[in-house]
Amino acid sequence: MQKIIILDFGSQYTQLIARRIRELNTYCEIKPYNKFPAGDPDIIGVILSGSPYSVNDKEALQVDLSQFRGKYPLLGICYGAQYLAKQLGGEVKSVATREYGKAQLVWHDDADLLMHGVHDDSTVWMSHGDSIVSTPDFFKNVGSTADVKNAAFQVEGEQTWGVQFHPEVYHSQDGKIVLANFVNGICGSKSDWTPDSFIESTVSCLRAKLGDDKVVLALSGGVDSTVAAVLLNKAIGKNLTCIFVDNGLLRYKEFESVLENYSQMGLNVIGVDAKDHFYAALKGVTEPEKKRKVIGKGFIDIFDREAKKLTDVKWLAQGTIYPDVIESLSITGMVIKSHHNVGGLPEKMNLKLVEPLRLLFKDEVRRVGRQLGIPQSLIGRHPFPGPGLGVRILGEVTPEKVRILQEADHYYIQGLIDHGLYDQVWQAGTILLPIRSVGVMGDERTYENVIALRAVNSTDGMTATWSHLPHEFLAEVSSRIINKVRGVNRVVYDISSKPPSTIEWE
Ligand code: XMP
């Protein structure tokens, strides 16, 4: 399979470059800047990403260009372009007019392979404090903006280009044309990375790898584990056993309905009711990270116990996806919340690991899932955190609080579906606040719980804006929850975006 290598210098946009290229049906991989996979026969081109560093910083990340320059088509983006310019004899300087945001690109050569088809005066997204102020003679200036003369260049006689703008960012009007020109026109990609080709090659690889071995997989009801299970089922059929654990923190009647869906899809699934185990373990636990750990450990214990009842299992399958495995550089890396729900499972179980989706982004997982015929009700589900309602019940989790939250959540989510709003938001959920408020019902004073509704728009959960749901809808949901859910007398709507808030409250 042809592939483009993206060398990551730590830019926040590196994953976006990969996603855009995959959208062009070309396979690509992100590698740390200093780990170019020399000798891989499938490479057809190389991209150098942006970086939080300036090329003039003492600690700026350095790469030996001779590994790929002149051997493959090469595109430097932002830092990548400045790095090329500096290494090849140009000058990069911090400039007074830092360019952040939109700029208009004027390009100079109609025949340039990279800029072909890009509109003149096309809007491009800039994000840099440095600029290439001079280039060697053998650089051809291809495009400029009002403030940046060398916004795009080609190294003459070579298939090497640099652009100081970010073609991968949506705001770059013709960014996709620039990337397609590079990937298809210059690198010669056949664009054969499609859901169909992925399914076909993965199924045959899985068959070859697993043979007659038995495999166990943890289903969560979410998109990733479901798609992984269906792919494995296609490859090895009944040798796959899936385990779906009810941790007591799922949505209203979710355990039953998801199990039903799975059996209709022909999967071999064992449903385990472990609610009491989790409630007992969560007793008295209030700190969010501690809760996550308790829930993660509970899952490992239950799963391990159930899997041991099966005989001859050799493999553990997981629905790990690409963003979890990219060896990206954590230059400013700081854990805000740990998302490792079941970290430690493979080690504990002493099984070999098979991860059929480890090369896919989330949107690709969905495309593959649709192609596999998985119902939209499963594929189109909003993301749901591994610790489930456990991180939406602020403070201690009790079965009674779970009941309140499940019912409130049910009216909210069903309302979104009924009003055609579910697919318009990226994620929605309810939160049970750890306070009570005074209300009045009939002639009685009440002192009951408060439910917060949350809905956000996002592309990947890294940033999010709160969704502007219609007031009439919110009014209807609020009165339904207050009237129907025993123990709730107030509903509020969360109008915070991420950053500075996060999507979940814990
Ligand atoms: P935050 O709250 O960090 O959430 O803005 C971003 C996305 O991640 C989900 N999330 C989790 N997913 N385990 C998960 O599998 C977790 O512990 C966890 N915490 C947050 C959240 O629902 C949102 O989609």
Side-chain angles (χ1 to χ4, degrees):
M1 173 84 64
Q2 295 180 314
K3 68 171 85 151
I4 302 275
I5 296 296
I6 301 162
L7 290 182
D8 180 21
F9 290 83
S11 162
Q12 55 176 328
Y13 297 130
T14 305
Q15 279 203 31
L16 211 47
I17 304 174
R19 286 171 54 174
R20 293 285 162 275
I21 291 176
R22 300 271 189 100
E23 280 167 16
L24 295 166
N25 292 332
T26 296
Y27 180 63
C28 61
E29 284 177 10
I30 297 175
K31 297 283 179 198
Y33 69 100
N34 55 357
K35 297 216 173 120
F36 179 73
D40 181 337
D42 294 332
I43 298 173
I44 56 169
V46 179
I47 293 179
L48 309 180
S49 83
S51 173
Y53 288 110
S54 153
V55 290
N56 294 321
D57 286 346
K58 264 211 254 21
E59 64 280 22
L61 307 177
Q62 310 287 336
V63 63
D64 173 7
L65 293 174
S66 71
Q67 299 174 92
F68 39 79
R69 182 182 152 220
K71 297 182 180 148
Y72 306 99
L74 178 60
L75 174 64
I77 294 178
C78 197
Y79 178 96
Q82 292 163 357
Y83 189 81
L84 281 172
K86 183 167 174 173
Q87 291 293 314
L88 303 186
E91 194 182 358
V92 177
K93 266 194 179 160
S94 159
V95 282
T97 47
R98 294 172 148 242
E99 273 209 319
Y100 287 105
K102 293 178 181 171
Q104 303 307 120
L105 183 75
V106 176
W107 51 283
H108 309 308
D109 179 2
D110 199 12
D112 182 75
L113 291 178
L114 191 71
M115 293 293 159
H116 186 69
V118 171
H119 298 89
D120 214 350
D121 252 349
S122 178
T123 301
V124 291
W125 185 258
M126 292 286 195
S127 170
H128 53 87
D130 283 353
S131 200
I132 302 169
V133 291
S134 77
T135 53
D137 290 347
F138 55 95
F139 272 41
K140 187 171 83 180
N141 183 220
V142 179
S144 311
T145 68
D147 291 319
V148 179
K149 177 169 170 267
N150 294 301
F153 62 79
Q154 183 187 3
V155 180
E156 285 198 79
E158 268 181 41
Q159 290 199 312
T160 299
W161 280 263
V163 291
Q164 289 204 75
F165 59 90
H166 286 274
E168 70 279 18
V169 171
Y170 286 108
H171 309 292
S172 286
Q173 186 189 343
D174 292 328
K176 202 158 177 177
I177 301 180
V178 173
L179 290 176
N181 282 343
F182 181 69
V183 167
N184 298 109
I186 297 171
C187 299
S189 164
K190 295 195 285 255
S191 287
D192 53 6
W193 169 255
T194 60
D196 260 342
S197 70
F198 172 81
I199 294 168
E200 203 185 299
S201 63
T202 306
V203 165
S204 73
C205 283
L206 287 171
R207 281 194 189 130
K209 181 173 188 167
L210 302 172
D212 283 331
D213 289 354
K214 297 228 164 70
V215 179
V216 63
L217 174 143
L219 280 172
S220 69
V223 180
D224 304 341
S225 64
T226 304
V227 174
V230 173
L231 258 180
L232 277 154
N233 189 47
K234 200 173 160 74
I236 60 165
K238 294 295 172 211
N239 276 343
L240 171 71
T241 305
C242 305
I243 296 178
F244 182 31
V245 177
D246 185 355
N247 58 7
L249 305 165
L250 302 175
R251 289 189 146 136
Y252 184 73
K253 301 223 160 107
E254 186 177 18
F255 185 62
E256 297 78 5
S257 75
V258 169
L259 264 186
E260 171 67 25
N261 266 318
Y262 283 147
S263 74
Q264 276 171 10
M265 283 160 22
L267 295 179
N268 178 15
V269 189
I270 299 171
V272 185
D273 176 357
K275 292 199 273 296
D276 294 343
H277 180 97
F278 284 87
Y279 293 152
L282 282 167
K283 212 164 185 324
V285 182
T286 53
E287 204 276 315
E289 286 299 291
K290 178 92 195 292
K291 271 200 228 174
R292 279 190 168 78
K293 291 212 170 75
V294 168
I295 298 167
K297 177 174 181 313
F299 178 81
I300 292 173
D301 291 345
I302 298 289
F303 186 81
D304 188 38
R305 186 189 78 196
E306 293 301 315
K308 284 209 174 102
K309 294 181 189 163
L310 307 169
T311 45
D312 271 355
V313 173
K314 293 223 170 63
W315 297 84
L316 171 71
Q318 288 192 326
T320 317
I321 67 171
Y322 200 46
D324 307 327
V325 297
I326 298 175
E327 288 179 79
S328 53
L329 304 171
S330 178
I331 287 173
T332 52
M334 194 172 75
V335 176
I336 311 270
K337 294 179 196 178
S338 61
H339 283 199
H340 300 287
N341 309 318
V342 293
L345 192 54
E347 295 83 353
K348 167 149 187 173
M349 298 189 65
N350 198 18
L351 294 172
K352 290 188 274 185
L353 198 57
V354 52
E355 298 175 311
L357 308 179
R358 59 181 286 118
L359 299 177
L360 300 190
F361 286 111
K362 191 88 181 179
D363 47 335
E364 294 176 309
V365 175
R366 291 209 163 93
R367 279 164 69 197
V368 166
R370 281 195 195 98
Q371 199 66 27
L372 285 165
I374 300 174
Q376 178 60 19
S377 58
L378 279 177
I379 294 294
R381 299 182 98 201
H382 291 170
F384 188 61
L389 300 183
V391 289
R392 292 185 180 169
I393 292 171
L394 310 193
E396 189 185 8
V397 174
T398 64
E400 173 60 3
K401 289 186 193 170
V402 171
R403 178 203 54 86
I404 293 174
L405 190 57
Q406 279 182 336
E407 290 179 16
D409 190 70
H410 170 66
Y411 289 118
Y412 180 40
I413 299 295
Q414 196 54 49
L416 286 168
I417 296 171
D418 294 345
H419 285 75
L421 294 166
Y422 186 82
D423 291 330
Q424 288 178 33
V425 302
W426 188 78
Q427 186 174 19
T430 38
I431 298 99
L432 179 62
L433 305 192
I435 48 165
R436 286 192 289 166
S437 82
V438 172
V440 54
M441 223 170 246
D443 290 334
E444 298 276 310
R445 172 189 185 276
T446 58
Y447 187 51
E448 307 264 43
N449 292 288
V450 184
I451 289 284
L453 309 179
R454 182 92 165 117
V456 294
N457 290 59
S458 175
T459 44
D460 52 13
M462 303 291 286
T463 60
T465 50
W466 61 276
S467 309
H468 291 228
L469 294 177
H471 290 180
E472 303 70 35
F473 167 76
L474 291 171
E476 189 183 308
V477 169
S478 160
S479 73
R480 184 160 304 156
I481 291 175
I482 293 171
N483 286 325
K484 302 257 187 195
V485 183
R486 193 167 27 86
V488 177
N489 68 356
R490 191 175 297 271
V491 171
V492 297
Y493 188 57
D494 182 351
I495 52 169
S496 331
S497 289
K498 173 184 181 176
S501 299
T502 51
I503 296 176
E504 305 295 343
W505 282 41
E506 277 198 341

